[in-house]
Protein backbone atom coordinates (compact mmCIF):
# COMPACT_ATOMS: atom_id res chain seq x y z
CA UNK A 1 0.00 0.00 0.00
CA UNK A 2 1.38 3.37 -0.96
CA UNK A 3 1.16 6.18 1.60
CA UNK A 4 0.29 8.54 -1.22
CA UNK A 5 -3.20 7.12 -1.52
CA UNK A 6 -4.30 8.03 1.99
CA UNK A 7 -6.26 11.30 1.98
CA UNK A 8 -4.35 14.04 3.80
CA UNK A 9 -7.38 14.74 5.97
CA UNK A 10 -7.00 11.25 7.46
CA UNK A 11 -3.26 11.68 7.89
CA UNK A 12 -4.02 14.90 9.78
CA UNK A 13 -6.09 12.96 12.31
CA UNK A 14 -3.49 10.27 13.08
CA UNK A 15 -1.36 12.55 15.30
CA UNK A 16 -4.54 13.40 17.22
CA UNK A 17 -5.25 9.71 17.77
CA UNK A 18 -1.68 9.13 18.87
CA UNK A 19 -1.73 12.02 21.31
CA UNK A 20 -4.98 10.85 22.89
CA UNK A 21 -3.75 7.27 23.15
CA UNK A 22 -0.47 8.38 24.73
CA UNK A 23 -2.46 10.37 27.24
CA UNK A 24 -4.65 7.35 28.04
CA UNK A 25 -1.51 5.25 28.48
CA UNK A 26 -0.11 7.82 30.93
CA UNK A 27 -3.41 7.62 32.82
CA UNK A 28 -2.90 3.86 33.13
CA UNK A 29 -5.49 2.73 30.58
CA UNK A 30 -4.77 -0.44 28.61
CA UNK A 31 -7.82 -0.84 26.37
CA UNK A 32 -9.91 1.69 24.51
CA UNK A 33 -12.70 1.73 21.94
CA UNK A 34 -13.50 3.82 18.90
CA UNK A 35 -16.37 5.21 21.00
CA UNK A 36 -14.08 6.43 23.77
CA UNK A 37 -11.50 7.81 21.34
CA UNK A 38 -14.29 9.52 19.44
CA UNK A 39 -15.64 11.17 22.57
CA UNK A 40 -12.22 12.50 23.44
CA UNK A 41 -11.68 13.88 19.96
CA UNK A 42 -15.15 14.99 18.94
CA UNK A 43 -15.34 12.46 16.10
CA UNK A 44 -17.74 9.62 15.43
CA UNK A 45 -16.71 6.07 16.32
CA UNK A 46 -17.41 5.13 12.69
CA UNK A 47 -14.99 7.78 11.43
CA UNK A 48 -12.23 6.48 13.67
CA UNK A 49 -12.79 2.87 12.63
CA UNK A 50 -12.81 3.94 8.99
CA UNK A 51 -9.62 6.00 9.36
CA UNK A 52 -7.71 3.23 11.13
CA UNK A 53 -8.94 0.58 8.71
CA UNK A 54 -6.93 2.35 6.00
CA UNK A 55 -3.81 1.03 7.68
CA UNK A 56 -4.77 -2.45 8.84
CA UNK A 57 -6.63 -4.29 11.58
CA UNK A 58 -5.84 -2.85 14.99
CA UNK A 59 -8.65 -4.15 17.17
CA UNK A 60 -11.30 -6.82 17.34
CA UNK A 61 -15.03 -6.24 17.20
CA UNK A 62 -16.24 -6.15 20.79
CA UNK A 63 -12.85 -6.15 22.52
CA UNK A 64 -11.60 -2.72 21.47
CA UNK A 65 -8.02 -1.59 20.91
CA UNK A 66 -5.02 -2.60 23.01
CA UNK A 67 -3.55 0.85 23.63
CA UNK A 68 0.20 0.04 23.70
CA UNK A 69 -0.14 -1.88 20.44
CA UNK A 70 -2.11 0.89 18.70
CA UNK A 71 0.41 3.51 19.90
CA UNK A 72 3.20 1.36 18.52
CA UNK A 73 1.46 0.97 15.17
CA UNK A 74 0.60 4.64 14.83
CA UNK A 75 4.17 5.61 15.66
CA UNK A 76 5.36 3.32 12.86
CA UNK A 77 2.79 4.69 10.40
CA UNK A 78 3.76 8.28 11.23
CA UNK A 79 7.47 7.35 11.20
CA UNK A 80 7.95 8.57 14.75
CA UNK A 81 8.99 5.21 16.18
CA UNK A 82 12.43 6.81 16.28
CA UNK A 83 13.47 10.43 16.96
CA UNK A 84 14.06 12.82 14.09
CA UNK A 85 16.78 15.41 14.53
CA UNK A 86 15.46 18.87 13.84
CA UNK A 87 16.93 22.34 13.47
CA UNK A 88 15.50 25.59 14.75
CA UNK A 89 16.23 28.71 12.72
CA UNK A 90 15.90 31.95 14.64
CA UNK A 91 17.02 32.28 18.25
CA UNK A 92 14.46 34.88 19.30
CA UNK A 93 11.44 34.35 21.55
CA UNK A 94 9.89 31.50 19.59
CA UNK A 95 13.20 29.83 18.80
CA UNK A 96 14.16 29.87 22.46
CA UNK A 97 10.79 28.43 23.42
CA UNK A 98 11.21 25.64 20.86
CA UNK A 99 14.66 24.74 22.14
CA UNK A 100 13.26 24.46 25.66
CA UNK A 101 9.95 22.86 24.62
CA UNK A 102 9.00 19.82 26.70
CA UNK A 103 6.54 18.49 24.14
CA UNK A 104 8.97 16.87 21.68
CA UNK A 105 10.04 14.05 24.01
CA UNK A 106 8.31 10.75 23.16
CA UNK A 107 6.71 12.42 20.18
CA UNK A 108 9.48 11.68 17.68
CA UNK A 109 11.56 14.85 17.61
CA UNK A 110 14.74 16.23 19.05
CA UNK A 111 16.20 19.66 18.50
CA UNK A 112 19.76 19.16 17.33
CA UNK A 113 20.96 22.59 16.18
CA UNK A 114 19.86 26.22 16.49
CA UNK A 115 20.86 28.92 14.02
CA UNK A 116 20.73 32.69 13.95
CA UNK A 117 22.43 35.37 11.86
CA UNK A 118 22.79 37.91 14.66
CA UNK A 119 26.49 38.25 15.60
CA UNK A 120 25.42 39.18 19.14
CA UNK A 121 23.67 35.81 19.50
CA UNK A 122 26.01 33.45 17.62
CA UNK A 123 28.15 31.52 20.09
CA UNK A 124 25.89 32.31 23.07
CA UNK A 125 23.66 29.69 24.66
CA UNK A 126 19.97 28.84 24.94
CA UNK A 127 19.74 26.11 27.54
CA UNK A 128 22.41 23.60 26.53
CA UNK A 129 22.51 24.77 22.91
CA UNK A 130 25.16 27.02 21.47
CA UNK A 131 23.59 29.24 18.81
CA UNK A 132 25.20 28.43 15.46
CA UNK A 133 26.06 30.83 12.65
CA UNK A 134 23.35 30.89 9.98
CA UNK A 135 26.10 31.30 7.38
CA UNK A 136 27.10 27.66 8.00
CA UNK A 137 23.58 26.28 8.16
CA UNK A 138 23.37 24.59 4.76
CA UNK A 139 26.62 22.64 5.14
CA UNK A 140 25.83 21.76 8.75
CA UNK A 141 22.36 20.39 7.89
CA UNK A 142 23.84 18.36 5.04
CA UNK A 143 26.56 17.02 7.32
CA UNK A 144 24.03 15.85 9.92
CA UNK A 145 21.56 14.74 7.24
CA UNK A 146 18.72 16.63 8.94
CA UNK A 147 15.30 16.55 7.28
CA UNK A 148 13.18 18.58 9.70
CA UNK A 149 13.28 22.29 10.43
CA UNK A 150 11.35 24.89 12.37
CA UNK A 151 11.46 28.48 11.16
CA UNK A 152 11.16 31.11 13.87
CA UNK A 153 12.44 34.20 12.07
CA UNK A 154 10.61 37.45 11.17
CA UNK A 155 8.21 37.44 8.20
CA UNK A 156 10.66 39.17 5.88
CA UNK A 157 13.28 36.43 6.19
CA UNK A 158 11.08 33.33 6.24
CA UNK A 159 11.08 32.59 2.49
CA UNK A 160 14.85 33.01 2.19
CA UNK A 161 15.42 30.73 5.19
CA UNK A 162 13.05 28.15 3.73
CA UNK A 163 14.90 28.28 0.40
CA UNK A 164 18.22 27.59 2.13
CA UNK A 165 16.72 24.77 4.20
CA UNK A 166 15.32 23.09 1.09
CA UNK A 167 18.67 23.57 -0.64
CA UNK A 168 20.24 21.74 2.31
CA UNK A 169 17.87 18.79 1.89
CA UNK A 170 15.22 19.55 4.51
CA UNK A 171 11.91 17.88 3.62
CA UNK A 172 9.53 19.07 6.35
CA UNK A 173 9.29 22.66 7.57
CA UNK A 174 7.21 24.11 10.37
CA UNK A 175 6.76 27.87 10.11
CA UNK A 176 5.85 30.27 12.91
CA UNK A 177 5.84 33.49 10.86
CA UNK A 178 2.43 34.66 9.59
CA UNK A 179 3.28 34.08 5.95
CA UNK A 180 2.68 31.42 3.30
CA UNK A 181 5.88 30.30 1.59
CA UNK A 182 6.54 28.91 -1.86
CA UNK A 183 7.86 25.37 -1.97
CA UNK A 184 7.92 22.38 -4.31
CA UNK A 185 5.51 19.49 -3.70
CA UNK A 186 8.40 17.31 -2.59
CA UNK A 187 8.76 19.42 0.56
CA UNK A 188 6.06 19.43 3.25
CA UNK A 189 5.23 22.68 5.00
CA UNK A 190 3.02 23.33 8.01
CA UNK A 191 2.16 26.58 9.72
CA UNK A 192 1.64 27.49 13.36
CA UNK A 193 -1.15 30.03 13.08
CA UNK A 194 -2.72 31.10 16.40
CA UNK A 195 -5.31 33.25 14.57
CA UNK A 196 -6.67 30.19 12.83
CA UNK A 197 -7.05 28.33 16.14
CA UNK A 198 -8.76 31.36 17.67
CA UNK A 199 -11.16 31.66 14.72
CA UNK A 200 -12.16 28.02 15.19
CA UNK A 201 -13.32 29.04 18.65
CA UNK A 202 -14.93 32.42 17.96
CA UNK A 203 -17.28 30.62 15.56
CA UNK A 204 -18.95 29.26 18.68
CA UNK A 205 -18.97 32.58 20.54
CA UNK A 206 -21.82 35.03 20.00
CA UNK B 1 -29.93 27.85 11.49
CA UNK B 2 -28.14 26.97 14.70
CA UNK B 3 -24.34 27.00 14.63
CA UNK B 4 -24.41 23.90 16.83
CA UNK B 5 -25.50 21.72 13.96
CA UNK B 6 -22.43 22.36 11.81
CA UNK B 7 -19.90 19.54 12.24
CA UNK B 8 -16.75 20.80 13.94
CA UNK B 9 -14.63 19.38 11.13
CA UNK B 10 -16.28 21.87 8.75
CA UNK B 11 -15.85 24.72 11.21
CA UNK B 12 -12.17 23.82 11.37
CA UNK B 13 -11.84 24.37 7.62
CA UNK B 14 -13.48 27.81 7.51
CA UNK B 15 -10.42 29.65 8.90
CA UNK B 16 -8.35 27.92 6.21
CA UNK B 17 -10.71 29.18 3.52
CA UNK B 18 -10.61 32.66 4.98
CA UNK B 19 -6.83 32.71 5.12
CA UNK B 20 -6.51 31.59 1.51
CA UNK B 21 -9.09 34.11 0.31
CA UNK B 22 -7.37 36.93 2.19
CA UNK B 23 -4.13 35.92 0.57
CA UNK B 24 -5.76 35.94 -2.89
CA UNK B 25 -7.21 39.38 -2.15
CA UNK B 26 -3.75 40.68 -1.21
CA UNK B 27 -2.48 39.27 -4.51
CA UNK B 28 -5.11 41.34 -6.31
CA UNK B 29 -7.52 38.53 -7.23
CA UNK B 30 -11.22 39.35 -7.32
CA UNK B 31 -12.85 36.05 -8.34
CA UNK B 32 -12.07 32.47 -7.40
CA UNK B 33 -13.58 29.03 -7.81
CA UNK B 34 -13.97 26.00 -5.61
CA UNK B 35 -11.40 24.37 -7.92
CA UNK B 36 -8.78 27.05 -7.28
CA UNK B 37 -9.47 27.14 -3.53
CA UNK B 38 -9.29 23.35 -3.46
CA UNK B 39 -5.92 23.31 -5.19
CA UNK B 40 -4.52 25.79 -2.70
CA UNK B 41 -5.81 23.80 0.27
CA UNK B 42 -5.49 20.21 -0.90
CA UNK B 43 -9.24 19.63 -0.81
CA UNK B 44 -11.68 18.64 -3.52
CA UNK B 45 -13.82 21.31 -5.15
CA UNK B 46 -16.88 19.28 -4.16
CA UNK B 47 -15.85 19.36 -0.49
CA UNK B 48 -15.48 23.13 -0.56
CA UNK B 49 -18.85 23.63 -2.25
CA UNK B 50 -20.46 21.29 0.28
CA UNK B 51 -18.83 23.03 3.25
CA UNK B 52 -19.84 26.52 2.10
CA UNK B 53 -23.37 25.41 1.21
CA UNK B 54 -23.92 24.78 4.94
CA UNK B 55 -23.96 28.54 5.40
CA UNK B 56 -25.76 29.84 2.31
CA UNK B 57 -25.26 30.63 -1.36
CA UNK B 58 -21.95 32.42 -1.92
CA UNK B 59 -21.35 31.99 -5.65
CA UNK B 60 -23.11 31.21 -8.88
CA UNK B 61 -22.59 28.09 -10.97
CA UNK B 62 -20.10 29.05 -13.68
CA UNK B 63 -19.12 32.47 -12.35
CA UNK B 64 -17.30 31.47 -9.17
CA UNK B 65 -17.00 33.37 -5.90
CA UNK B 66 -16.51 37.13 -5.58
CA UNK B 67 -13.59 37.13 -3.14
CA UNK B 68 -14.34 40.31 -1.12
CA UNK B 69 -17.91 39.12 -0.58
CA UNK B 70 -16.88 35.63 0.50
CA UNK B 71 -14.25 37.06 2.88
CA UNK B 72 -16.90 39.31 4.34
CA UNK B 73 -19.33 36.43 4.81
CA UNK B 74 -16.74 34.10 6.35
CA UNK B 75 -15.66 36.83 8.75
CA UNK B 76 -19.27 37.19 9.86
CA UNK B 77 -19.74 33.42 10.20
CA UNK B 78 -16.56 33.11 12.27
CA UNK B 79 -17.46 36.26 14.25
CA UNK B 80 -14.23 37.98 13.28
CA UNK B 81 -15.86 40.88 11.43
CA UNK B 82 -14.77 42.85 14.51
CA UNK B 83 -11.66 42.52 16.70
CA UNK B 84 -11.80 40.48 19.90
CA UNK B 85 -9.69 41.70 22.80
CA UNK B 86 -7.48 38.92 24.11
CA UNK B 87 -5.20 38.42 27.08
CA UNK B 88 -1.84 36.69 27.14
CA UNK B 89 -0.89 34.90 30.34
CA UNK B 90 2.83 34.33 30.78
CA UNK B 91 5.40 36.92 29.73
CA UNK B 92 8.16 34.48 28.83
CA UNK B 93 9.41 33.60 25.35
CA UNK B 94 6.04 32.58 23.89
CA UNK B 95 4.12 35.33 25.64
CA UNK B 96 6.52 37.95 24.31
CA UNK B 97 6.24 36.50 20.82
CA UNK B 98 2.43 36.62 21.02
CA UNK B 99 2.43 40.24 22.15
CA UNK B 100 4.60 41.14 19.17
CA UNK B 101 2.89 38.77 16.72
CA UNK B 102 2.03 40.38 13.37
CA UNK B 103 -0.54 37.75 12.45
CA UNK B 104 -3.49 38.95 14.54
CA UNK B 105 -4.13 42.12 12.51
CA UNK B 106 -7.08 41.72 10.12
CA UNK B 107 -7.72 38.28 11.54
CA UNK B 108 -10.06 39.39 14.32
CA UNK B 109 -7.83 39.61 17.39
CA UNK B 110 -6.01 42.19 19.43
CA UNK B 111 -3.86 41.58 22.48
CA UNK B 112 -5.18 43.86 25.21
CA UNK B 113 -3.42 42.75 28.40
CA UNK B 114 -0.43 40.60 29.40
CA UNK B 115 -0.10 38.97 32.81
CA UNK B 116 2.69 37.30 34.73
CA UNK B 117 3.23 36.40 38.38
CA UNK B 118 6.96 37.08 38.40
CA UNK B 119 7.65 40.21 40.52
CA UNK B 120 10.73 40.86 38.37
CA UNK B 121 8.53 41.12 35.27
CA UNK B 122 5.42 42.86 36.61
CA UNK B 123 5.50 46.54 35.66
CA UNK B 124 8.16 46.08 32.98
CA UNK B 125 7.36 46.30 29.28
CA UNK B 126 7.09 44.02 26.25
CA UNK B 127 6.77 46.32 23.27
CA UNK B 128 4.09 48.82 24.27
CA UNK B 129 2.58 46.54 26.90
CA UNK B 130 3.19 46.84 30.61
CA UNK B 131 3.16 43.38 32.17
CA UNK B 132 0.27 43.18 34.63
CA UNK B 133 0.17 41.38 37.97
CA UNK B 134 -1.42 37.93 37.66
CA UNK B 135 -2.97 38.49 41.09
CA UNK B 136 -5.35 41.03 39.52
CA UNK B 137 -6.09 39.03 36.39
CA UNK B 138 -9.58 37.81 37.22
CA UNK B 139 -10.96 41.24 38.12
CA UNK B 140 -9.19 42.87 35.20
CA UNK B 141 -10.61 40.40 32.66
CA UNK B 142 -14.08 40.85 34.12
CA UNK B 143 -13.72 44.62 33.98
CA UNK B 144 -12.77 44.55 30.30
CA UNK B 145 -15.25 41.75 29.54
CA UNK B 146 -12.57 39.74 27.73
CA UNK B 147 -13.55 36.35 26.34
CA UNK B 148 -10.32 35.18 24.69
CA UNK B 149 -7.04 34.12 26.30
CA UNK B 150 -3.73 32.61 25.32
CA UNK B 151 -1.84 30.61 27.93
CA UNK B 152 1.93 30.71 27.63
CA UNK B 153 2.99 29.46 31.06
CA UNK B 154 4.92 26.31 32.04
CA UNK B 155 3.07 22.96 32.07
CA UNK B 156 2.72 22.89 35.84
CA UNK B 157 0.74 26.14 35.97
CA UNK B 158 -1.44 25.77 32.87
CA UNK B 159 -4.47 24.13 34.53
CA UNK B 160 -4.54 26.63 37.39
CA UNK B 161 -4.29 29.55 34.95
CA UNK B 162 -7.08 28.06 32.82
CA UNK B 163 -9.27 27.68 35.91
CA UNK B 164 -8.81 31.34 36.82
CA UNK B 165 -9.49 32.44 33.23
CA UNK B 166 -12.74 30.46 33.12
CA UNK B 167 -13.69 31.88 36.51
CA UNK B 168 -13.18 35.34 34.98
CA UNK B 169 -15.56 34.54 32.13
CA UNK B 170 -13.12 33.62 29.35
CA UNK B 171 -14.79 31.36 26.78
CA UNK B 172 -11.97 30.51 24.37
CA UNK B 173 -8.47 29.49 25.41
CA UNK B 174 -5.42 28.79 23.26
CA UNK B 175 -2.75 26.78 25.08
CA UNK B 176 0.94 26.57 24.21
CA UNK B 177 2.00 24.19 26.99
CA UNK B 178 2.20 20.49 26.04
CA UNK B 179 -0.68 19.47 28.28
CA UNK B 180 -4.39 18.74 27.93
CA UNK B 181 -6.51 20.71 30.38
CA UNK B 182 -9.87 19.98 31.97
CA UNK B 183 -12.66 22.35 31.04
CA UNK B 184 -16.45 22.39 30.79
CA UNK B 185 -18.08 22.08 27.37
CA UNK B 186 -19.13 25.71 27.54
CA UNK B 187 -15.48 26.76 27.16
CA UNK B 188 -13.57 26.12 23.93
CA UNK B 189 -9.93 25.08 24.13
CA UNK B 190 -7.36 24.74 21.38
CA UNK B 191 -3.74 23.66 21.58
CA UNK B 192 -0.64 24.78 19.74
CA UNK B 193 1.21 21.51 19.35
CA UNK B 194 4.28 21.62 17.10
CA UNK B 195 4.82 17.84 17.48
CA UNK B 196 1.43 17.18 15.92
CA UNK B 197 2.25 19.36 12.93
CA UNK B 198 5.61 17.65 12.54
CA UNK B 199 4.00 14.19 12.71
CA UNK B 200 1.64 15.18 9.90
CA UNK B 201 4.74 15.68 7.80
CA UNK B 202 6.90 12.74 8.86
CA UNK B 203 4.09 10.47 7.66
CA UNK B 204 5.22 11.40 4.17
CA UNK B 205 8.94 11.00 4.87
CA UNK B 206 10.57 7.60 4.56
Amino acid sequence: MSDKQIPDIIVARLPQYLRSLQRMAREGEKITSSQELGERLGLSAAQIRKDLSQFGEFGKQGTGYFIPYLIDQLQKILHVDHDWDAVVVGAGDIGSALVNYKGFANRGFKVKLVFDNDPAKIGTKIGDFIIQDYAHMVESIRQHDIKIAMIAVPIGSAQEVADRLMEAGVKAILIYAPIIINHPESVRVQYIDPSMHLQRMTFYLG
Side-chain angles (χ1 to χ4, degrees), chain A:
Chain A
M1 180 191 59
S2 163
D3 286 350
K4 306 277 179 196
Q5 294 160 350
I6 309 287
D8 187 58
I9 193 80
I10 293 179
V11 174
R13 283 194 286 265
L14 299 182
Q16 296 179 32
Y17 296 163
L18 180 55
R19 185 171 68 171
S20 277
L21 290 162
Q22 286 180 318
R23 190 187 182 201
M24 288 179 194
R26 277 199 306 278
E27 291 167 356
E29 286 193 64
K30 285 270 181 288
I31 302 281
T32 188
S33 61
S34 37
Q35 282 75 13
E36 189 189 16
L37 256 179
E39 274 162 31
R40 288 197 176 223
L41 291 165
L43 294 165
S44 73
Q47 183 70 65
I48 287 169
R49 281 193 298 269
K50 201 175 144 196
D51 284 359
L52 293 177
S53 73
Q54 300 268 346
F55 303 95
E57 278 293 333
F58 301 117
K60 276 187 192 145
Q61 190 72 33
T63 61
Y65 302 108
F66 183 54
I67 292 172
Y69 177 72
L70 190 48
I71 287 174
D72 195 60
Q73 293 301 306
L74 283 170
Q75 286 177 327
K76 287 199 173 93
I77 291 165
L78 291 167
H79 304 126
V80 290
D81 49 340
H82 64 276
D83 275 355
W84 295 81
D85 286 337
V87 300
V88 170
V89 192
D93 293 330
I94 293 280
S96 301
L98 285 171
V99 167
N100 294 316
Y101 187 60
K102 303 281 189 291
F104 292 133
N106 300 316
R107 306 286 298 280
F109 307 98
K110 208 178 159 188
V111 174
K112 180 89 180 176
L113 294 165
V114 187
F115 296 94
D116 204 293
N117 66 356
D118 179 353
K121 287 181 180 169
I122 296 164
T124 66
K125 275 186 159 189
I126 309 175
D128 295 333
F129 288 84
I130 296 170
I131 299 169
Q132 308 289 317
D133 188 348
Y134 178 69
H136 304 136
M137 183 181 77
V138 170
E139 67 185 88
S140 187
I141 287 175
R142 281 188 183 140
Q143 216 165 51
H144 291 89
D145 194 30
I146 290 172
K147 299 297 175 204
I148 314 247
M150 291 173 260
I151 297 185
V153 302
I155 306 178
S157 316
Q159 181 69 56
E160 132 81 8
V161 168
D163 290 342
R164 305 303 307 275
L165 289 169
M166 294 186 280
E167 181 192 333
V170 165
K171 294 294 179 202
I173 303 177
L174 183 60
I175 299 184
Y176 277 77
I179 185 187
I180 294 179
I181 66 149
N182 300 312
H183 61 97
E185 274 191 36
S186 58
V187 176
R188 296 271 154 184
V189 175
Q190 287 267 312
Y191 301 89
I192 297 284
D193 183 339
S195 291
M196 233 157 76
H197 287 273
L198 292 172
Q199 289 177 348
R200 263 188 83 162
M201 299 192 281
T202 52
F203 172 84
Y204 296 98
L205 304 189

